[in-house]
């Protein structure tokens, strides 16, 4: 018997590289729907939050469809969510892009700030440093992924707790070290674009879809 394909909702809030993300998720074995419908989002096996442009613009779009509430309700029920690029940045507490202070969804403590690098944006392929217990990067230790960003989070702000499973935090470097991905229970995110990262990106998405 053929295994049933997982249903993935791609959050439609007016921004994001949704078409290439949808194709990559389909290649990874998911049935994908681009939607802002509350019922569809809550019933999907997985939710993907895409993002391009500024954190402020993404937060405005997410708030317009009550996306923060939907993400929070899914996580409260241990329902998987994956953020991509600025869709990862909005999961942190705040951002400094444009000289302002954009409030994020505050799922993780941390500030998204301009990277200290000679050349910005950071655009192109780069290797990442994933921990051994990473599920997203299983079988992908030597692969490179495609980044397009000028802002990032350079410190992980959750202290370890002996009774809790530690998040898997993956790092990369451009001028300074920054967080390239996080796996924290049902909530995962990547600063790079899996959908632009060729076969390695599809394999990473396969790892995520397999865990839904």
């Amino acid at each position: 018997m053929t295994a049933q394909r997982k249903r993935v909702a791609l959050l439609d809030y007016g921004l994001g590289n949704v078409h290439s993300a949808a194709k990559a998720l389909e290649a990874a074995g998911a049935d994908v729907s681009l939607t802002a419908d509350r019922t569809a989002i809550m019933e999907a096996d997985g939710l993907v939050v895409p993002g391009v442009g500024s954190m402020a613009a993404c937060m405005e779009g997410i708030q317009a469809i009550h996306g923060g509430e939907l993400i929070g309700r899914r996580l409260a029920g241990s329902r998987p969510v994956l953020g991509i690029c600025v869709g990862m940045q909005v999961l942190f507490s705040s951002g400094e892009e444009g000289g302002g202070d954009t409030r994020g969804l505050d799922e993780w403590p941390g500030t998204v700030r301009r990277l200290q690098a000679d050349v910005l944006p950071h655009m192109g392929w780069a290797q990442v440093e994933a921990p051994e217990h990473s599920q997203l990067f299983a079988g992908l230790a030597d692969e490179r992924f495609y980044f397009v960003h000028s802002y990032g989070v350079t410190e992980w702000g959750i202290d370890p707790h002996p009774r809790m499973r530690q998040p898997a935090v993956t790092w990369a470097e451009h001028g300074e070290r920054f967080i390239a991905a996080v796996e924290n229970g049902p909530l995962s995110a990547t600063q790079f674009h899996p959908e632009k990262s060729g076969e390695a990106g599809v394999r990473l998405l396969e790892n995520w879809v397999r865990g839904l």
Side-chain angles (χ1 to χ4, degrees):
M1 181 180 293
T2 303
Q4 186 174 4
R5 290 168 67 91
K6 299 294 186 178
R7 296 173 300 156
V8 171
L10 191 57
L11 188 65
D12 184 8
Y13 62 96
L15 291 172
N17 192 19
V18 291
H19 297 298
S20 58
K23 287 184 177 180
L25 286 160
E26 288 168 355
D31 287 334
V32 183
S33 60
L34 176 63
T35 182
D37 180 78
R38 182 187 191 91
T39 300
I41 289 169
M42 294 307 300
E43 292 183 351
D45 297 305
L47 172 66
V48 172
V49 182
V52 295
S54 72
M55 182 175 170
C58 286
M59 279 302 303
E60 183 177 352
I62 288 171
Q63 290 170 338
I65 64 165
H66 305 287
E69 177 189 350
L70 295 173
I71 292 168
R73 287 180 65 85
R74 280 191 62 91
L75 295 176
S78 295
R79 307 280 285 167
V81 176
L82 174 67
I84 294 176
C85 196
V86 187
M88 169 178 162
Q89 295 179 2
V90 298
L91 298 171
F92 287 89
S93 301
S94 63
E96 298 178 347
E97 190 165 357
D101 183 10
T102 299
R103 292 193 63 181
L105 298 176
D106 204 24
E107 295 294 341
W108 295 316
T111 299
V112 181
R113 62 177 183 80
R114 189 175 178 86
L115 295 177
Q116 300 299 306
D118 292 336
V119 177
L120 290 173
H122 174 211
M123 182 181 297
W125 297 83
Q127 285 189 306
V128 302
E129 302 169 23
E132 291 184 0
H133 64 288
S134 168
Q135 296 179 357
L136 279 183
F137 293 92
L140 297 170
D142 298 322
E143 297 291 349
R144 295 160 65 88
F145 297 89
Y146 192 81
F147 291 84
V148 183
H149 65 120
S150 296
Y151 289 76
V153 179
T154 57
E155 296 181 1
W156 178 247
I158 297 179
D159 293 330
H161 191 287
R163 296 185 181 180
M164 297 180 64
R165 180 178 175 84
Q166 296 307 304
V169 181
T170 295
W171 297 84
E173 186 168 344
H174 182 73
E176 60 182 326
R177 280 167 57 85
F178 63 88
I179 296 174
V182 180
E183 300 158 69
N184 184 200
L187 182 58
S188 301
T190 67
Q191 177 62 70
F192 57 84
H193 287 274
E195 76 279 8
K196 296 181 179 180
S197 297
E199 182 181 347
V202 172
R203 288 167 57 197
L204 181 139
L205 292 173
E206 285 177 347
N207 287 342
W208 182 72
V209 170
R210 193 177 298 117
L212 299 179

